Structures are given as structure tokens and as C-alpha cells.
Amino acid sequence: MSGRLIIVVLVAVLSASGGSAYGAENIVEGCEDAAQCNDGVFCNGVERCHIYVERGSRGQVIRRTGVCEAGENPCQRGWQCRNQEQLCKEPCEDRDGDGAHAMRCGGDDCDDNNPNRFPGNIEICDAAGIDEDCDATTVGDLDSDGDGFISPLCR
């Protein structure tokens, strides 16, 4: 076993000095595979190791140089990239322009097609029972006859 170790060291020394064609083809400066280039960051994509081979006038390999190349963002354009969760999240639009995002993508707008319905909007008492503030527990406070009680029109 120690004899094998000496041979390996000897080949490495000879190859590193460039004095021997023996094993010179096995020397790679820089990376040797993509695993050595991986920085563990999801959002900048999968890095790869590109090996450039320099050859002599007779076609012999003089040097092999491995260079890490950056990956590309794995998410579609406009999507949010989340490193920690290692996922791409669809952007959350505000279709009706009321400043609140749709519930389907994590927002709190109960109706992203109606600009008059969003959290924090003033609740209006109406016979149709439209929920303007996206809070089913509020109904508005119209007291049309002044008796101190909310109108029965407010549901």
C-alpha cells in the first residue's frame, strides 16, 4: 500500500512539473466537475464546469483547465425566486388595480376583479349585501330613520 502511495505522489510530482507525458493528461487546473462549481444558491441556477483542452503541435494534451460557468435563474421571467424554499413563485397581480393582491396567490383581496372590494375599504350598507371590505363580519352602519338601530337593509 505504501508503494502505491509513492507512485501516485511520484506521478503527481512529475505531472505537475510538466516533465512527463505520463499522467499529464490527467491534470486539470480549476474544476473537474459541476459539483465543484455548485455554490448552493438555487436562484442563480445550476453551475457547470467547462473543461478547456490545450493541445500541442502534435495533438498531445498540454493542459486541461476547468472553469466554472454560472447557471441561469430557473424561474420564468417576472416570477419570484425563493432561495430558501428552492422554488419559483408566480407573481401576484392586482388585476383590478385597487392596491390589494388576490387571495389565490397569497394576497387578501376577496375579489380581484372588482376595484370596489378590497380589505380596508369602507363598508357600505346595501340591500345586495356586497362585502366592500372583504370582512364578512362587517355590514355597514346605515341608520336611515335615526332610531339608533342599523337599517334592516344592511345584512
Side-chain angles (χ1 to χ4, degrees):
M1 183 158 179
S2 65
R4 182 182 281 171
L5 180 62
I6 292 172
I7 292 172
V8 170
V9 170
L10 183 59
V11 169
V13 168
L14 287 172
S15 297
S17 69
S20 171
Y22 242 66
E25 295 178 22
N26 296 324
I27 293 181
V28 177
E29 297 175 4
C31 62
E32 294 185 41
D33 59 40
Q36 293 175 322
C37 298
N38 185 357
D39 63 3
V41 178
F42 174 76
C43 292
N44 67 6
V46 177
E47 297 81 11
R48 65 186 194 107
C49 178
H50 185 90
I51 298 182
Y52 297 90
V53 177
E54 184 181 336
R55 297 190 179 271
S57 59
R58 292 185 220 127
Q60 76 279 16
V61 175
I62 297 173
R63 180 180 313 143
R64 292 175 47 188
T65 306
V67 177
C68 290
E69 294 180 351
E72 294 182 24
N73 184 330
C75 301
Q76 295 177 27
R77 184 180 176 102
W79 285 44
Q80 296 175 348
C81 188
R82 303 244 172 122
N83 275 318
Q84 204 164 16
E85 297 97 335
Q86 294 194 356
L87 59 83
C88 300
K89 186 170 181 188
E90 184 177 7
C92 196
E93 296 179 334
D94 177 16
R95 290 184 193 161
D96 58 13
D98 61 11
H101 296 291
M103 289 178 156
R104 68 174 172 75
C105 60
D108 55 1
D109 191 343
C110 58
D111 184 353
D112 202 32
N113 294 313
N114 184 340
N116 297 316
R117 297 186 67 204
F118 58 90
N121 193 12
I122 297 171
E123 187 69 47
I124 299 170
C125 174
D126 55 44
I130 296 172
D131 184 12
E132 289 86 6
D133 68 353
C134 294
D135 181 352
T137 64
T138 59
V139 293
D141 60 2
L142 179 66
D143 181 8
S144 58
D145 59 4
D147 63 1
F149 293 98
I150 296 174
S151 171
L153 294 175
C154 302
R155 294 178 172 198

